[in-house]
């Protein structure tokens, strides 16, 4: 019998629905929310409202383009947390209502767990290279930065994490300082491609072991710009590409230094990246070149599965379904990480 999972993601500012058949993607729809651009960050209440508007059409489109019958869906997997409470409530309530009316189980999914599994995502008929267990994963998103040992589809261990800002936050905050709209990460990526990464240097954090820190870097970036703008009001406009290339290269260096250390400490040489920042072209390129230098096998999610999407939620749901790890209809979402 086919296992068909409907996945729902609504933790932040993307409303997404996907359908997986036997662990392979047959549809994945994402509705982005442009409303946050002008505010320099995600406005929680606007996000909840947009999810409410998007959820029904997005799910309908995902099911229609998958070409499956609603009655053939085996279970509904949804993001239970972490994320914005109001945003999570929309997806959670929708998933529960859908499952009750179809008389199928619900499966609650941890958003970070789902990001990790994004390296396994592939369409029906595709034969992508996937990592063996255990492998290392650098998980870099807007809210989290962690290095994990992935022991199994459902078991992982955090061996390093940020003590303050996440890598995605560093991208977004530096972009904001340059006057760029939210989210700034993809824009910095675009500008960095034509900039000189040696043009500026910023202070590096000194954090022991496998942990990260990004708040000092953001401050160093802010002060550099403030000093230069005093002398030349056009400084940012005239140096946008070099500033972008330099800050991006610094963030990547910080991430890669710890990843190299993690591989040395654990002797694990199968290395993956995941989360929104894994969409960064500089990071993807650097992981590939470092992999060749260090003798690693590297695994990078398809670009469309790096940022928030429901296919990864459905895949985590698929593996929980196989183990009969179902959710409870009365369980509420959680905004912060639950261990
Ligand atoms: O995983 P994600 O979509 O949402 C969270 O779970 O947080 O990650 C969003 C983060 C944002 O900070 C965004 O700026 C960053 O990922 N991001 C990028 C790129 N695409 C998204 N950062 C750098 N370069 C990119 N191309
Ligand atoms: Zn995410």
């Amino acid at each position: 019998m086919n296992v068909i999972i409907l996945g729902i993601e609504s933790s932040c500012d993307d409303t997404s629905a996907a359908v997986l058949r036997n662990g392979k993607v047959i549809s994945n729809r994402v509705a982005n929310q442009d409303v946050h651009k002008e505010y320099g960050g995600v406005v929680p209440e606007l996000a909840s409202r947009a999810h409410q508007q998007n959820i029904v059409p997005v799910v309908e489109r995902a099911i229609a383009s998958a070409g499956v019958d609603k009655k053939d869906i085996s279970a509904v997997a949804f993001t239970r947390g972490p994320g914005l409470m109001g945003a999570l409530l929309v997806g959670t309530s929708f998933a529960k209502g859908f499952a009750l009316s179809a008389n199928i189980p619900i499966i609650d999914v941890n958003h970070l767990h789902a990001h990790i599994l994004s390296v396994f995502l592939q369409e029906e008929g595709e034969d992508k290279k996937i990592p063996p267990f255990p492998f290392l994963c650098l998980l870099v998103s807007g809210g989290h930065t962690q290095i994990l040992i992935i022991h199994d589809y459902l078991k992982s261990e955090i061996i390093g994490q940020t003590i303050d800002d996440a890598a995605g936050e560093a991208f977004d905050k530096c972009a904001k300082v340059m006057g760029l709209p939210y989210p700034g990460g993809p824009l910095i990526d675009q500008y960095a491609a034509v900039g000189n990464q040696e043009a500026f240097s910023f202070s590096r954090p000194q954090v022991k072991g496998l942990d990260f820190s990004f708040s000092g870097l953001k401050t160093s970036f802010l002060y550099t710009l403030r000093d230069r703008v005093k002398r030349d009001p056009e400084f940012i406009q005239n140096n946008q590409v070099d500033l972008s290339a330099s800050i991006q290269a610094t963030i990547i260096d910080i991430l890669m230094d710890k990843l190299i250390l993690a591989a040395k400490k654990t002797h694990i040489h199968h290395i993956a990246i995941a989360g929104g920042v894994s969409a960064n072209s500089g990071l993807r390129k650097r992981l590939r070149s470092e992999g060749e230098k260090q003798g690693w096998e590297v695994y990078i999610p398809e670009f469309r599965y790096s940022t928030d999407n429901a296919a990864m939620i459905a895949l985590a749901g698929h593996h929980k379904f196989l183990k009969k790890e179902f959710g409870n209809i009365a369980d509420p979402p959680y905004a912060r990480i639950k261990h």
Side-chain angles (χ1 to χ4, degrees), residues 9 11-14 82-83 111-112 115 139-144 166-173 175 182-190 248 251 274-284 303 305-309 312:
E9 155 63 30
S11 65
C12 191
D13 59 343
D14 295 309
H111 183 83
L112 303 175
H115 267 304
L139 172 60
V140 271
S141 73
H144 299 86
E169 240 175 317
F171 269 105
D172 296 339
K173 286 181 176 171
Y182 177 86
L187 287 171
I188 290 191
D189 190 354
Q190 216 177 300
Q248 176 171 300
I251 295 172
V277 179
S278 73
N280 184 269
S281 46
L283 179 60
R284 293 165 90 91
F303 184 78
Y305 300 136
S306 280
T307 49
D308 288 349
N309 66 87
M312 66 184 194

Side-chain angles (χ1 to χ4, degrees), residues 68-115:
V68 297
D69 207 312
K70 273 186 200 160
K71 69 170 177 25
D72 293 331
I73 296 174
S74 318
V76 187
F78 64 97
T79 308
R80 189 174 162 206
L84 302 169
M85 184 47 83
L88 290 165
L89 277 166
V90 178
T92 302
S93 303
F94 181 91
K96 288 177 179 178
F98 189 100
L100 277 176
S101 70
N103 198 23
I104 52 176
I106 51 166
I107 302 170
D108 57 309
V109 170
N110 177 308
H111 183 83
L112 303 175
H113 174 210
H115 267 304

Side-chain angles (χ1 to χ4, degrees), residues 7 15-16 26 34 48 53 64-65 101 123 143 145 173 175 182 184 190 195 227 229 232 283 290 319 330:
T15 320
S16 179
I26 52 175
D34 281 339
S48 313
Q53 283 164 346
S65 78
S101 70
E123 264 109 81
T145 297
K173 286 181 176 171
Y182 177 86
Q190 216 177 300
D227 292 346
V229 167
D232 170 15
L283 179 60
E290 203 63 53
H319 289 288

Side-chain angles (χ1 to χ4, degrees), residues 3 5 20 22-24 77 107 109 113 117 120-121 130 133 152-155 312-326:
V3 175
I5 307 288
L20 264 61
N22 301 324
K24 298 284 182 90
I107 302 170
V109 170
H113 174 210
L117 297 187
F120 292 98
L121 281 170
I130 55 169
F133 298 111
D152 184 30
Y153 287 111
L154 300 180
K155 195 168 159 237
M312 66 184 194
I313 306 299
L315 185 58
H318 175 83
H319 289 288
K320 291 186 88 172
F321 182 88
L322 298 181
K323 297 262 172 180
K324 295 191 167 47
E325 290 188 19
F326 300 126

